[in-house]
Structures are given as structure tokens and as C-alpha cells.
PDB file of all heavy atoms in Angstrom:
ATOM      1  N   THR B  22     177.523 193.121 257.155  1.00  0.00           N
ATOM      2  CA  THR B  22     176.277 192.363 257.317  1.00  0.00           C
ATOM      3  C   THR B  22     176.494 191.460 258.529  1.00  0.00           C
ATOM      4  O   THR B  22     176.681 190.250 258.404  1.00  0.00           O
ATOM      5  CB  THR B  22     175.936 191.572 256.033  1.00  0.00           C
ATOM      6  OG1 THR B  22     177.101 190.897 255.568  1.00  0.00           O
ATOM      7  CG2 THR B  22     175.419 192.491 254.942  1.00  0.00           C
ATOM      8  N   PHE B  23     176.507 192.107 259.680  1.00  0.00           N
ATOM      9  CA  PHE B  23     176.896 191.464 260.934  1.00  0.00           C
ATOM     10  C   PHE B  23     175.941 190.358 261.356  1.00  0.00           C
ATOM     11  O   PHE B  23     176.362 189.362 261.937  1.00  0.00           O
ATOM     12  CB  PHE B  23     177.043 192.503 262.044  1.00  0.00           C
ATOM     13  CG  PHE B  23     177.989 193.621 261.704  1.00  0.00           C
ATOM     14  CD1 PHE B  23     177.590 194.946 261.816  1.00  0.00           C
ATOM     15  CD2 PHE B  23     179.281 193.357 261.253  1.00  0.00           C
ATOM     16  CE1 PHE B  23     178.462 195.982 261.506  1.00  0.00           C
ATOM     17  CE2 PHE B  23     180.155 194.387 260.937  1.00  0.00           C
ATOM     18  CZ  PHE B  23     179.741 195.706 261.065  1.00  0.00           C
ATOM     19  N   ASP B  24     174.641 190.539 261.085  1.00  0.00           N
ATOM     20  CA  ASP B  24     173.676 189.511 261.461  1.00  0.00           C
ATOM     21  C   ASP B  24     173.938 188.213 260.690  1.00  0.00           C
ATOM     22  O   ASP B  24     173.862 187.119 261.250  1.00  0.00           O
ATOM     23  CB  ASP B  24     172.242 190.006 261.243  1.00  0.00           C
ATOM     24  CG  ASP B  24     171.994 190.559 259.841  1.00  0.00           C
ATOM     25  OD1 ASP B  24     172.956 190.976 259.159  1.00  0.00           O
ATOM     26  OD2 ASP B  24     170.821 190.574 259.417  1.00  0.00           O
ATOM     27  N   ILE B  25     174.284 188.321 259.418  1.00  0.00           N
ATOM     28  CA  ILE B  25     174.607 187.132 258.614  1.00  0.00           C
ATOM     29  C   ILE B  25     175.916 186.522 259.113  1.00  0.00           C
ATOM     30  O   ILE B  25     176.031 185.304 259.246  1.00  0.00           O
ATOM     31  CB  ILE B  25     174.685 187.484 257.115  1.00  0.00           C
ATOM     32  CG1 ILE B  25     173.317 187.977 256.620  1.00  0.00           C
ATOM     33  CG2 ILE B  25     175.152 186.280 256.296  1.00  0.00           C
ATOM     34  CD1 ILE B  25     173.339 188.572 255.221  1.00  0.00           C
ATOM     35  N   ALA B  26     176.889 187.372 259.416  1.00  0.00           N
ATOM     36  CA  ALA B  26     178.168 186.885 259.954  1.00  0.00           C
ATOM     37  C   ALA B  26     177.933 186.092 261.232  1.00  0.00           C
ATOM     38  O   ALA B  26     178.506 185.004 261.405  1.00  0.00           O
ATOM     39  CB  ALA B  26     179.115 188.056 260.226  1.00  0.00           C
ATOM     40  N   ALA B  27     177.079 186.604 262.117  1.00  0.00           N
ATOM     41  CA  ALA B  27     176.800 185.915 263.387  1.00  0.00           C
ATOM     42  C   ALA B  27     176.223 184.521 263.129  1.00  0.00           C
ATOM     43  O   ALA B  27     176.619 183.555 263.798  1.00  0.00           O
ATOM     44  CB  ALA B  27     175.841 186.731 264.248  1.00  0.00           C
ATOM     45  N   GLU B  28     175.318 184.405 262.163  1.00  0.00           N
ATOM     46  CA  GLU B  28     174.729 183.095 261.857  1.00  0.00           C
ATOM     47  C   GLU B  28     175.792 182.123 261.356  1.00  0.00           C
ATOM     48  O   GLU B  28     175.802 180.950 261.745  1.00  0.00           O
ATOM     49  CB  GLU B  28     173.586 183.240 260.847  1.00  0.00           C
ATOM     50  CG  GLU B  28     172.365 183.950 261.420  1.00  0.00           C
ATOM     51  CD  GLU B  28     171.885 183.359 262.741  1.00  0.00           C
ATOM     52  OE1 GLU B  28     171.699 182.126 262.818  1.00  0.00           O
ATOM     53  OE2 GLU B  28     171.699 184.141 263.710  1.00  0.00           O
ATOM     54  N   TYR B  29     176.688 182.594 260.495  1.00  0.00           N
ATOM     55  CA  TYR B  29     177.759 181.728 260.006  1.00  0.00           C
ATOM     56  C   TYR B  29     178.734 181.358 261.127  1.00  0.00           C
ATOM     57  O   TYR B  29     179.193 180.227 261.200  1.00  0.00           O
ATOM     58  CB  TYR B  29     178.506 182.366 258.837  1.00  0.00           C
ATOM     59  CG  TYR B  29     177.759 182.287 257.522  1.00  0.00           C
ATOM     60  CD1 TYR B  29     177.559 183.421 256.749  1.00  0.00           C
ATOM     61  CD2 TYR B  29     177.261 181.072 257.042  1.00  0.00           C
ATOM     62  CE1 TYR B  29     176.891 183.353 255.540  1.00  0.00           C
ATOM     63  CE2 TYR B  29     176.582 180.995 255.837  1.00  0.00           C
ATOM     64  CZ  TYR B  29     176.406 182.137 255.090  1.00  0.00           C
ATOM     65  OH  TYR B  29     175.746 182.062 253.886  1.00  0.00           O
ATOM     66  N   TYR B  30     179.032 182.315 262.009  1.00  0.00           N
ATOM     67  CA  TYR B  30     179.918 181.995 263.138  1.00  0.00           C
ATOM     68  C   TYR B  30     179.262 180.957 264.059  1.00  0.00           C
ATOM     69  O   TYR B  30     179.939 180.084 264.596  1.00  0.00           O
ATOM     70  CB  TYR B  30     180.274 183.243 263.943  1.00  0.00           C
ATOM     71  CG  TYR B  30     181.360 184.103 263.331  1.00  0.00           C
ATOM     72  CD1 TYR B  30     181.213 185.483 263.251  1.00  0.00           C
ATOM     73  CD2 TYR B  30     182.548 183.544 262.844  1.00  0.00           C
ATOM     74  CE1 TYR B  30     182.198 186.290 262.712  1.00  0.00           C
ATOM     75  CE2 TYR B  30     183.535 184.347 262.298  1.00  0.00           C
ATOM     76  CZ  TYR B  30     183.361 185.723 262.236  1.00  0.00           C
ATOM     77  OH  TYR B  30     184.348 186.510 261.697  1.00  0.00           O
ATOM     78  N   LYS B  31     177.949 181.033 264.239  1.00  0.00           N
ATOM     79  CA  LYS B  31     177.255 180.044 265.072  1.00  0.00           C
ATOM     80  C   LYS B  31     177.372 178.649 264.461  1.00  0.00           C
ATOM     81  O   LYS B  31     177.556 177.662 265.184  1.00  0.00           O
ATOM     82  CB  LYS B  31     175.778 180.412 265.251  1.00  0.00           C
ATOM     83  CG  LYS B  31     175.551 181.568 266.200  1.00  0.00           C
ATOM     84  CD  LYS B  31     174.063 181.891 266.264  1.00  0.00           C
ATOM     85  CE  LYS B  31     173.807 183.197 266.962  1.00  0.00           C
ATOM     86  NZ  LYS B  31     172.373 183.572 266.879  1.00  0.00           N
ATOM     87  N   LYS B  32     177.278 178.562 263.146  1.00  0.00           N
ATOM     88  CA  LYS B  32     177.447 177.273 262.469  1.00  0.00           C
ATOM     89  C   LYS B  32     178.887 176.787 262.612  1.00  0.00           C
ATOM     90  O   LYS B  32     179.132 175.591 262.792  1.00  0.00           O
ATOM     91  CB  LYS B  32     177.034 177.387 261.003  1.00  0.00           C
ATOM     92  CG  LYS B  32     175.539 177.584 260.861  1.00  0.00           C
ATOM     93  CD  LYS B  32     175.108 177.768 259.415  1.00  0.00           C
ATOM     94  CE  LYS B  32     173.594 177.976 259.384  1.00  0.00           C
ATOM     95  NZ  LYS B  32     173.038 177.915 258.055  1.00  0.00           N
ATOM     96  N   THR B  33     179.820 177.719 262.547  1.00  0.00           N
ATOM     97  CA  THR B  33     181.236 177.387 262.765  1.00  0.00           C
ATOM     98  C   THR B  33     181.431 176.837 264.173  1.00  0.00           C
ATOM     99  O   THR B  33     182.111 175.821 264.368  1.00  0.00           O
ATOM    100  CB  THR B  33     182.119 178.645 262.584  1.00  0.00           C
ATOM    101  OG1 THR B  33     181.899 179.198 261.289  1.00  0.00           O
ATOM    102  CG2 THR B  33     183.590 178.325 262.766  1.00  0.00           C
ATOM    103  N   LEU B  34     180.812 177.494 265.144  1.00  0.00           N
ATOM    104  CA  LEU B  34     180.917 177.075 266.544  1.00  0.00           C
ATOM    105  C   LEU B  34     180.345 175.669 266.734  1.00  0.00           C
ATOM    106  O   LEU B  34     180.981 174.814 267.368  1.00  0.00           O
ATOM    107  CB  LEU B  34     180.190 178.076 267.444  1.00  0.00           C
ATOM    108  CG  LEU B  34     180.256 177.838 268.940  1.00  0.00           C
ATOM    109  CD1 LEU B  34     181.699 177.846 269.430  1.00  0.00           C
ATOM    110  CD2 LEU B  34     179.427 178.890 269.676  1.00  0.00           C
ATOM    111  N   HIS B  35     179.188 175.427 266.163  1.00  0.00           N
ATOM    112  CA  HIS B  35     178.553 174.113 266.266  1.00  0.00           C
ATOM    113  C   HIS B  35     179.485 173.023 265.710  1.00  0.00           C
ATOM    114  O   HIS B  35     179.688 171.982 266.351  1.00  0.00           O
ATOM    115  CB  HIS B  35     177.215 174.115 265.527  1.00  0.00           C
ATOM    116  CG  HIS B  35     176.557 172.776 265.477  1.00  0.00           C
ATOM    117  ND1 HIS B  35     175.953 172.200 266.585  1.00  0.00           N
ATOM    118  CD2 HIS B  35     176.429 171.872 264.478  1.00  0.00           C
ATOM    119  CE1 HIS B  35     175.486 171.012 266.246  1.00  0.00           C
ATOM    120  NE2 HIS B  35     175.762 170.790 264.976  1.00  0.00           N
ATOM    121  N   LEU B  36     180.057 173.275 264.539  1.00  0.00           N
ATOM    122  CA  LEU B  36     180.936 172.273 263.924  1.00  0.00           C
ATOM    123  C   LEU B  36     182.255 172.123 264.687  1.00  0.00           C
ATOM    124  O   LEU B  36     182.779 171.013 264.792  1.00  0.00           O
ATOM    125  CB  LEU B  36     181.201 172.620 262.453  1.00  0.00           C
ATOM    126  CG  LEU B  36     180.020 172.316 261.532  1.00  0.00           C
ATOM    127  CD1 LEU B  36     180.238 172.954 260.161  1.00  0.00           C
ATOM    128  CD2 LEU B  36     179.821 170.819 261.392  1.00  0.00           C
ATOM    129  N   SER B  37     182.780 173.216 265.226  1.00  0.00           N
ATOM    130  CA  SER B  37     184.027 173.102 265.992  1.00  0.00           C
ATOM    131  C   SER B  37     183.810 172.244 267.235  1.00  0.00           C
ATOM    132  O   SER B  37     184.691 171.480 267.624  1.00  0.00           O
ATOM    133  CB  SER B  37     184.591 174.482 266.358  1.00  0.00           C
ATOM    134  OG  SER B  37     183.763 175.144 267.275  1.00  0.00           O
ATOM    135  N   ARG B  38     182.624 172.340 267.816  1.00  0.00           N
ATOM    136  CA  ARG B  38     182.302 171.496 268.973  1.00  0.00           C
ATOM    137  C   ARG B  38     182.128 170.041 268.544  1.00  0.00           C
ATOM    138  O   ARG B  38     182.600 169.138 269.225  1.00  0.00           O
ATOM    139  CB  ARG B  38     181.043 172.008 269.672  1.00  0.00           C
ATOM    140  CG  ARG B  38     181.298 173.295 270.429  1.00  0.00           C
ATOM    141  CD  ARG B  38     180.044 173.890 271.017  1.00  0.00           C
ATOM    142  NE  ARG B  38     180.358 175.064 271.833  1.00  0.00           N
ATOM    143  CZ  ARG B  38     179.477 175.999 272.122  1.00  0.00           C
ATOM    144  NH1 ARG B  38     178.220 175.915 271.693  1.00  0.00           N
ATOM    145  NH2 ARG B  38     179.842 177.035 272.862  1.00  0.00           N
ATOM    146  N   GLN B  39     181.459 169.833 267.409  1.00  0.00           N
ATOM    147  CA  GLN B  39     181.296 168.481 266.866  1.00  0.00           C
ATOM    148  C   GLN B  39     182.656 167.843 266.596  1.00  0.00           C
ATOM    149  O   GLN B  39     182.849 166.652 266.842  1.00  0.00           O
ATOM    150  CB  GLN B  39     180.529 168.552 265.534  1.00  0.00           C
ATOM    151  CG  GLN B  39     179.184 167.950 265.558  1.00  0.00           C
ATOM    152  CD  GLN B  39     178.566 167.926 264.156  1.00  0.00           C
ATOM    153  OE1 GLN B  39     179.040 168.560 263.217  1.00  0.00           O
ATOM    154  NE2 GLN B  39     177.495 167.198 264.033  1.00  0.00           N
ATOM    155  N   LEU B  40     183.590 168.660 266.076  1.00  0.00           N
ATOM    156  CA  LEU B  40     184.925 168.164 265.734  1.00  0.00           C
ATOM    157  C   LEU B  40     185.867 168.153 266.940  1.00  0.00           C
ATOM    158  O   LEU B  40     187.019 167.758 266.823  1.00  0.00           O
ATOM    159  CB  LEU B  40     185.527 169.027 264.611  1.00  0.00           C
ATOM    160  CG  LEU B  40     184.794 168.957 263.265  1.00  0.00           C
ATOM    161  CD1 LEU B  40     185.247 170.091 262.353  1.00  0.00           C
ATOM    162  CD2 LEU B  40     185.020 167.602 262.616  1.00  0.00           C
ATOM    163  N   LYS B  41     185.345 168.618 268.091  1.00  0.00           N
ATOM    164  CA  LYS B  41     186.125 168.677 269.337  1.00  0.00           C
ATOM    165  C   LYS B  41     187.426 169.476 269.163  1.00  0.00           C
ATOM    166  O   LYS B  41     188.481 169.102 269.657  1.00  0.00           O
ATOM    167  CB  LYS B  41     186.415 167.275 269.872  1.00  0.00           C
ATOM    168  CG  LYS B  41     185.152 166.489 270.205  1.00  0.00           C
ATOM    169  CD  LYS B  41     185.473 165.146 270.793  1.00  0.00           C
ATOM    170  CE  LYS B  41     184.300 164.242 271.040  1.00  0.00           C
ATOM    171  NZ  LYS B  41     182.970 164.737 271.105  1.00  0.00           N
ATOM    172  N   ASP B  42     187.313 170.606 268.455  1.00  0.00           N
ATOM    173  CA  ASP B  42     188.452 171.496 268.214  1.00  0.00           C
ATOM    174  C   ASP B  42     188.290 172.724 269.095  1.00  0.00           C
ATOM    175  O   ASP B  42     187.665 173.713 268.714  1.00  0.00           O
ATOM    176  CB  ASP B  42     188.513 171.878 266.731  1.00  0.00           C
ATOM    177  CG  ASP B  42     189.768 172.657 266.370  1.00  0.00           C
ATOM    178  OD1 ASP B  42     190.378 173.280 267.266  1.00  0.00           O
ATOM    179  OD2 ASP B  42     190.125 172.634 265.175  1.00  0.00           O
ATOM    180  N   GLN B  43     188.861 172.648 270.299  1.00  0.00           N
ATOM    181  CA  GLN B  43     188.679 173.722 271.275  1.00  0.00           C
ATOM    182  C   GLN B  43     189.352 175.019 270.855  1.00  0.00           C
ATOM    183  O   GLN B  43     188.864 176.094 271.198  1.00  0.00           O
ATOM    184  CB  GLN B  43     189.209 173.293 272.646  1.00  0.00           C
ATOM    185  CG  GLN B  43     188.259 172.391 273.388  1.00  0.00           C
ATOM    186  CD  GLN B  43     188.696 172.245 274.830  1.00  0.00           C
ATOM    187  OE1 GLN B  43     189.785 171.748 275.097  1.00  0.00           O
ATOM    188  NE2 GLN B  43     187.855 172.680 275.750  1.00  0.00           N
ATOM    189  N   THR B  44     190.443 174.940 270.122  1.00  0.00           N
ATOM    190  CA  THR B  44     191.117 176.159 269.682  1.00  0.00           C
ATOM    191  C   THR B  44     190.202 176.949 268.748  1.00  0.00           C
ATOM    192  O   THR B  44     190.029 178.158 268.919  1.00  0.00           O
ATOM    193  CB  THR B  44     192.448 175.824 268.981  1.00  0.00           C
ATOM    194  OG1 THR B  44     193.265 175.096 269.904  1.00  0.00           O
ATOM    195  CG2 THR B  44     193.183 177.070 268.537  1.00  0.00           C
ATOM    196  N   VAL B  45     189.606 176.259 267.784  1.00  0.00           N
ATOM    197  CA  VAL B  45     188.689 176.931 266.863  1.00  0.00           C
ATOM    198  C   VAL B  45     187.430 177.371 267.607  1.00  0.00           C
ATOM    199  O   VAL B  45     186.885 178.448 267.340  1.00  0.00           O
ATOM    200  CB  VAL B  45     188.347 176.037 265.652  1.00  0.00           C
ATOM    201  CG1 VAL B  45     187.260 176.662 264.787  1.00  0.00           C
ATOM    202  CG2 VAL B  45     189.595 175.778 264.819  1.00  0.00           C
ATOM    203  N   GLU B  46     186.979 176.569 268.546  1.00  0.00           N
ATOM    204  CA  GLU B  46     185.818 176.948 269.357  1.00  0.00           C
ATOM    205  C   GLU B  46     186.086 178.262 270.077  1.00  0.00           C
ATOM    206  O   GLU B  46     185.243 179.173 270.073  1.00  0.00           O
ATOM    207  CB  GLU B  46     185.491 175.836 270.364  1.00  0.00           C
ATOM    208  CG  GLU B  46     184.269 176.122 271.204  1.00  0.00           C
ATOM    209  CD  GLU B  46     183.960 175.027 272.223  1.00  0.00           C
ATOM    210  OE1 GLU B  46     184.615 173.958 272.206  1.00  0.00           O
ATOM    211  OE2 GLU B  46     183.058 175.252 273.051  1.00  0.00           O
ATOM    212  N   ALA B  47     187.272 178.383 270.676  1.00  0.00           N
ATOM    213  CA  ALA B  47     187.632 179.620 271.382  1.00  0.00           C
ATOM    214  C   ALA B  47     187.696 180.803 270.413  1.00  0.00           C
ATOM    215  O   ALA B  47     187.148 181.874 270.699  1.00  0.00           O
ATOM    216  CB  ALA B  47     188.974 179.444 272.091  1.00  0.00           C
ATOM    217  N   GLN B  48     188.341 180.597 269.268  1.00  0.00           N
ATOM    218  CA  GLN B  48     188.447 181.676 268.276  1.00  0.00           C
ATOM    219  C   GLN B  48     187.059 182.114 267.800  1.00  0.00           C
ATOM    220  O   GLN B  48     186.817 183.305 267.606  1.00  0.00           O
ATOM    221  CB  GLN B  48     189.272 181.214 267.075  1.00  0.00           C
ATOM    222  CG  GLN B  48     190.740 181.021 267.384  1.00  0.00           C
ATOM    223  CD  GLN B  48     191.471 180.250 266.280  1.00  0.00           C
ATOM    224  OE1 GLN B  48     190.865 179.612 265.429  1.00  0.00           O
ATOM    225  NE2 GLN B  48     192.797 180.305 266.321  1.00  0.00           N
ATOM    226  N   THR B  49     186.174 181.155 267.629  1.00  0.00           N
ATOM    227  CA  THR B  49     184.831 181.474 267.148  1.00  0.00           C
ATOM    228  C   THR B  49     184.027 182.213 268.216  1.00  0.00           C
ATOM    229  O   THR B  49     183.288 183.149 267.892  1.00  0.00           O
ATOM    230  CB  THR B  49     184.106 180.202 266.683  1.00  0.00           C
ATOM    231  OG1 THR B  49     184.932 179.527 265.726  1.00  0.00           O
ATOM    232  CG2 THR B  49     182.768 180.522 266.053  1.00  0.00           C
ATOM    233  N   CYS B  50     184.188 181.839 269.472  1.00  0.00           N
ATOM    234  CA  CYS B  50     183.522 182.579 270.552  1.00  0.00           C
ATOM    235  C   CYS B  50     184.017 184.019 270.591  1.00  0.00           C
ATOM    236  O   CYS B  50     183.223 184.958 270.758  1.00  0.00           O
ATOM    237  CB  CYS B  50     183.752 181.896 271.900  1.00  0.00           C
ATOM    238  SG  CYS B  50     182.798 180.374 272.098  1.00  0.00           S
ATOM    239  N   TYR B  51     185.310 184.201 270.390  1.00  0.00           N
ATOM    240  CA  TYR B  51     185.903 185.540 270.317  1.00  0.00           C
ATOM    241  C   TYR B  51     185.256 186.332 269.172  1.00  0.00           C
ATOM    242  O   TYR B  51     184.828 187.477 269.356  1.00  0.00           O
ATOM    243  CB  TYR B  51     187.418 185.414 270.116  1.00  0.00           C
ATOM    244  CG  TYR B  51     188.130 186.701 269.829  1.00  0.00           C
ATOM    245  CD1 TYR B  51     188.539 187.536 270.859  1.00  0.00           C
ATOM    246  CD2 TYR B  51     188.418 187.085 268.522  1.00  0.00           C
ATOM    247  CE1 TYR B  51     189.202 188.731 270.600  1.00  0.00           C
ATOM    248  CE2 TYR B  51     189.076 188.266 268.245  1.00  0.00           C
ATOM    249  CZ  TYR B  51     189.464 189.086 269.292  1.00  0.00           C
ATOM    250  OH  TYR B  51     190.119 190.266 269.018  1.00  0.00           O
ATOM    251  N   SER B  52     185.168 185.700 267.989  1.00  0.00           N
ATOM    252  CA  SER B  52     184.578 186.368 266.827  1.00  0.00           C
ATOM    253  C   SER B  52     183.105 186.693 267.056  1.00  0.00           C
ATOM    254  O   SER B  52     182.623 187.767 266.674  1.00  0.00           O
ATOM    255  CB  SER B  52     184.726 185.494 265.580  1.00  0.00           C
ATOM    256  OG  SER B  52     186.088 185.339 265.247  1.00  0.00           O
ATOM    257  N   LEU B  53     182.378 185.761 267.683  1.00  0.00           N
ATOM    258  CA  LEU B  53     180.970 186.023 267.996  1.00  0.00           C
ATOM    259  C   LEU B  53     180.835 187.168 269.004  1.00  0.00           C
ATOM    260  O   LEU B  53     179.938 188.011 268.867  1.00  0.00           O
ATOM    261  CB  LEU B  53     180.290 184.760 268.518  1.00  0.00           C
ATOM    262  CG  LEU B  53     179.767 183.824 267.444  1.00  0.00           C
ATOM    263  CD1 LEU B  53     179.521 182.431 268.004  1.00  0.00           C
ATOM    264  CD2 LEU B  53     178.505 184.387 266.801  1.00  0.00           C
ATOM    265  N   GLY B  54     181.722 187.223 269.980  1.00  0.00           N
ATOM    266  CA  GLY B  54     181.698 188.338 270.935  1.00  0.00           C
ATOM    267  C   GLY B  54     181.883 189.672 270.231  1.00  0.00           C
ATOM    268  O   GLY B  54     181.146 190.634 270.478  1.00  0.00           O
ATOM    269  N   ASN B  55     182.839 189.714 269.322  1.00  0.00           N
ATOM    270  CA  ASN B  55     183.080 190.953 268.570  1.00  0.00           C
ATOM    271  C   ASN B  55     181.905 191.285 267.658  1.00  0.00           C
ATOM    272  O   ASN B  55     181.517 192.449 267.522  1.00  0.00           O
ATOM    273  CB  ASN B  55     184.370 190.845 267.749  1.00  0.00           C
ATOM    274  CG  ASN B  55     185.602 190.873 268.625  1.00  0.00           C
ATOM    275  OD1 ASN B  55     185.564 191.361 269.748  1.00  0.00           O
ATOM    276  ND2 ASN B  55     186.688 190.334 268.128  1.00  0.00           N
ATOM    277  N   THR B  56     181.340 190.260 267.033  1.00  0.00           N
ATOM    278  CA  THR B  56     180.217 190.480 266.115  1.00  0.00           C
ATOM    279  C   THR B  56     179.009 191.020 266.876  1.00  0.00           C
ATOM    280  O   THR B  56     178.347 191.967 266.421  1.00  0.00           O
ATOM    281  CB  THR B  56     179.866 189.174 265.374  1.00  0.00           C
ATOM    282  OG1 THR B  56     181.030 188.717 264.682  1.00  0.00           O
ATOM    283  CG2 THR B  56     178.739 189.396 264.378  1.00  0.00           C
ATOM    284  N   TYR B  57     178.728 190.438 268.042  1.00  0.00           N
ATOM    285  CA  TYR B  57     177.588 190.932 268.824  1.00  0.00           C
ATOM    286  C   TYR B  57     177.844 192.329 269.379  1.00  0.00           C
ATOM    287  O   TYR B  57     176.901 193.110 269.558  1.00  0.00           O
ATOM    288  CB  TYR B  57     177.182 189.939 269.916  1.00  0.00           C
ATOM    289  CG  TYR B  57     176.313 188.846 269.338  1.00  0.00           C
ATOM    290  CD1 TYR B  57     176.771 187.543 269.228  1.00  0.00           C
ATOM    291  CD2 TYR B  57     175.038 189.134 268.852  1.00  0.00           C
ATOM    292  CE1 TYR B  57     175.989 186.546 268.665  1.00  0.00           C
ATOM    293  CE2 TYR B  57     174.247 188.155 268.289  1.00  0.00           C
ATOM    294  CZ  TYR B  57     174.729 186.860 268.195  1.00  0.00           C
ATOM    295  OH  TYR B  57     173.941 185.892 267.615  1.00  0.00           O
ATOM    296  N   THR B  58     179.108 192.685 269.597  1.00  0.00           N
ATOM    297  CA  THR B  58     179.425 194.065 269.980  1.00  0.00           C
ATOM    298  C   THR B  58     179.056 194.999 268.826  1.00  0.00           C
ATOM    299  O   THR B  58     178.440 196.049 269.034  1.00  0.00           O
ATOM    300  CB  THR B  58     180.915 194.209 270.338  1.00  0.00           C
ATOM    301  OG1 THR B  58     181.203 193.363 271.454  1.00  0.00           O
ATOM    302  CG2 THR B  58     181.263 195.649 270.680  1.00  0.00           C
TER     303      THR B  58
END
């Protein structure tokens, strides 16, 4: 259910930026890239 996964990853990305956690931000961008593929 990739569309749902993408929405959850976007929320993860938003919170990682709020928490200023660049490592998690990078990992989440990677996961979003794979999900959109």
C-alpha cells in the first residue's frame, strides 16, 4: 500500500525536520524516493 506508506513517510519527514534530525531526514528522503519509484 505504497500510497499510504508515502503519506506516513511525509509525516516522518516533517517531524524529522522539526526535530532537526538530518540523519533521519536523509533516510526518509531515501525511503520516499524508493516509494515513489
Side-chain angles (χ1 to χ4, degrees):
T22 46
F23 305 127
D24 52 337
I25 297 170
E28 291 309 309
Y29 283 129
Y30 281 134
K31 286 178 192 173
K32 291 177 181 191
T33 303
L34 183 60
H35 175 73
L36 284 168
S37 68
R38 288 174 175 159
Q39 247 186 347
L40 295 166
K41 299 183 185 342
D42 187 337
Q43 281 192 298
T44 302
V45 173
E46 182 181 353
Q48 291 166 344
T49 306
C50 287
Y51 172 85
S52 295
L53 275 162
N55 289 338
T56 303
Y57 278 111
T58 299

